Amino acid sequence: MQKKKPIVEGLERFRQQQNVSFHVPGHKHGELSHLPQAFKDVMRYDVTELTGLDDLHNPETMILEAEHLLADTYGAMKSFFLVGGTTVGNLAMIYATCKKGDRVLVQRNAHKSIFHAIELIGAKPVYVSPFWDEQTLTATHISFEHLKEAVDNYPEAKAVVFTYPTYYGMVSKEIQQQIAYCHEKRIPVLVDEAHGAHFSACALFQPSALTYGADVVVQSAHKTLPAMTMAAFMHVNSELVDVDKINHYLRMLQSSSPSYLLLASLDDARYYVQTYMESDGAYIIEKKNQWVEALRAIGSLQVIEVDDPLKLLLRVDGYSGFQLQEALETKRVYAELADAHQVLLILPLLKHGHIYPFAEIRARIKDAVTVLLSTEKTDILTATQTAYNFIAISEPIHTFEEIAHIDKEWLPYMRAMGRIAASMIIPYPPGIPLLVPGEKITVAKLSQLEELLATGATFQGNHRLEEKMIEVIK
């Protein structure tokens, strides 16, 4: 087993030489910084493309070796380190497969970066709606039946874009069949696997979409692996997608001065996966199961397990997820996100022997639930599957380009049913747009919006929701 960390080792060698800096960055190995000492210590590794440190955009030595190790770890034909998050990988894979006017089939609960890529290119999206899952109370994956119908109706599509797993840790049981059908039609499959970078670490976890033959897979290494924020992986394993095009767009879309701190953390995260053993996976699953059992003994607390063993949902009947999140934070427990019904926890990818204070955290959660139960219940948790019964396959009525030149107006959102959305409205997290420009605004969409507003959700996008106004086509 290859246990090298080429980038980490190269940076450490460089630091030990006690070099003099007459180059960028201007903090000069942290000497000019007034940040706390812990920050300044890290800045000694914040360097640039100097002799011996290679170049992300034209790797020849340590970065090239590290990316080869990455491809080997994940079983890809070619892998890349990304310093712009999964977002830049999502942009690059769509740029490499689509051009202006091309059709692209998109799982409707995709991340905003997918919709931004389509808008930037000028492609024509066809949305395929996911089905509703009663266990997690979330939209999950599209069915094979709907995927097949979309491919058959739009055989000219240049790509299909999946999200796997969902933010909430659910995986599609039909993805292998869906990928195979797309390949029969010579359509590449692009997968936003932001929350699945750890899947390849252990056979006890869910398989990566790479295992099922996906052409391009992008993963947020920082979400579940020990990498820094913005650090991501991109894998290409395809005869349908040109690797050189992917590389070309990554050079255009990523910074010309990539952070070596991010690159080192990616090198280390890859090493973490490569050295992760089946016994490690069994250890975290055992610890998690013990913790879940202990949490379920807390009165009024509901614990929902999902496909991904690192994800866990907590609910308290009669209270919104935002209320539970606020109560948890009074006890210094910070969840990944809250929605109208629950909070989402992301557990650490522990190795055998790693100690994590599960017992102490359980006590804090119990105290938080006690605090919550002393507050007033909410009466707006009425969402059902019917409220999320969206049209299976749909095209926006106007393209992003058309919307840029059409007159718009602001309306109270309760008067907007049947109108065409002019702006994106994105509950964040998770960053999945509720309204996308060009779509017709339906009762289902407005029901979701009203519920999210009533329970305290935070929104990104161009909106005036504090005034209960949204932007529509005039």
Side-chain angles (χ1 to χ4, degrees), residues 116-382:
H116 290 159
I118 292 168
E119 179 179 359
L120 286 168
I121 292 167
K124 295 181 177 180
V126 175
Y127 302 132
V128 186
S129 292
F131 59 83
W132 178 253
D133 178 62
E134 290 289 353
Q135 175 191 3
T136 61
L137 299 178
T138 62
T140 54
H141 298 280
I142 61 179
S143 68
F144 175 71
E145 177 186 353
H146 289 156
L147 182 277
K148 184 177 183 299
E149 182 181 350
V151 170
D152 292 347
N153 289 346
Y154 299 93
E156 74 279 14
K158 298 300 182 184
V160 174
V161 184
F162 291 135
T163 300
Y164 171 99
T166 67
Y167 206 129
Y168 290 81
M170 298 298 286
V171 302
S172 169
K173 304 301 187 287
E174 298 181 300
I175 189 169
Q176 186 171 16
Q177 185 182 12
Q178 291 172 335
I179 291 172
Y181 189 77
C182 292
H183 285 172
E184 283 180 23
K185 306 297 182 180
R186 305 293 293 171
I187 302 175
V189 176
L190 316 178
V191 180
D192 179 348
E193 197 172 279
H195 287 264
H198 61 293
F199 281 2
S200 297
C202 173
L204 295 173
F205 301 154
Q206 295 292 333
S208 166
L210 280 167
T211 305
Y212 295 132
D215 297 273
V216 185
V217 171
V218 188
Q219 301 167 327
S220 289
H222 68 93
K223 284 186 164 60
T224 54
L225 302 181
M228 295 174 69
T229 300
M230 290 179 64
F233 299 144
M234 187 172 196
H235 311 286
V236 185
N237 216 14
S238 176
E239 62 177 41
L240 300 178
V241 179
D242 188 340
V243 175
D244 290 337
K245 276 191 175 182
I246 293 279
N247 201 12
H248 170 72
Y249 285 109
L250 286 177
R251 288 170 177 166
M252 293 176 66
L253 294 166
Q254 296 208 93
S255 170
S256 60
S257 300
S259 166
Y260 275 82
L261 294 175
L262 293 181
L263 292 174
S265 78
L266 282 167
D267 193 23
D268 184 62
R270 185 274 315 157
Y271 173 86
Y272 197 86
V273 171
Q274 195 163 46
T275 57
Y276 202 84
M277 309 296 290
E278 296 301 301
S279 58
D280 297 324
Y283 177 78
I284 179 56
I285 290 173
E286 179 187 8
K287 291 295 182 184
K288 177 231 180 163
N289 290 342
Q290 292 172 353
W291 195 52
V292 167
E293 185 178 352
L295 289 175
R296 284 181 171 148
I298 298 175
S300 302
L301 183 68
Q302 300 173 43
V303 184
I304 297 88
E305 297 182 79
V306 297
D307 296 330
D308 181 356
L310 295 190
K311 298 288 179 71
L312 208 61
L313 301 175
L314 302 182
R315 298 181 196 141
V316 175
D317 191 37
Y319 294 90
S320 74
F322 300 106
Q323 289 175 294
L324 177 55
Q325 180 185 44
E326 186 176 350
L328 288 169
E329 290 180 1
T330 66
K331 302 302 175 183
R332 301 297 181 261
V333 175
Y334 286 81
E336 169 65 13
L337 65 80
D339 63 26
H341 310 283
Q342 58 213 346
V343 296
L344 171 66
L345 308 183
I346 300 181
L347 277 61
L349 184 66
L350 302 180
K351 287 189 175 184
H352 191 274
H354 278 179
I355 303 301
Y356 203 73
F358 285 113
E360 178 191 339
I361 298 166
R362 189 259 186 197
R364 292 191 189 190
I365 292 173
K366 182 180 180 180
D367 290 345
V369 172
T370 301
V371 169
L372 181 63
L373 292 174
S374 68
T375 63
E376 186 177 350
K377 289 188 175 183
T378 181
D379 59 357
I380 45 76
L381 300 182
T382 57

Side-chain angles (χ1 to χ4, degrees), residues 13-33:
R13 283 194 302 271
F14 189 83
R15 185 194 66 81
Q16 290 178 353
Q17 293 171 2
Q18 298 184 347
N19 303 294
V20 177
S21 171
F22 285 109
H23 54 76
V24 298
H27 58 67
K28 305 302 180 185
H29 299 161
E31 292 299 320
L32 303 188
S33 173

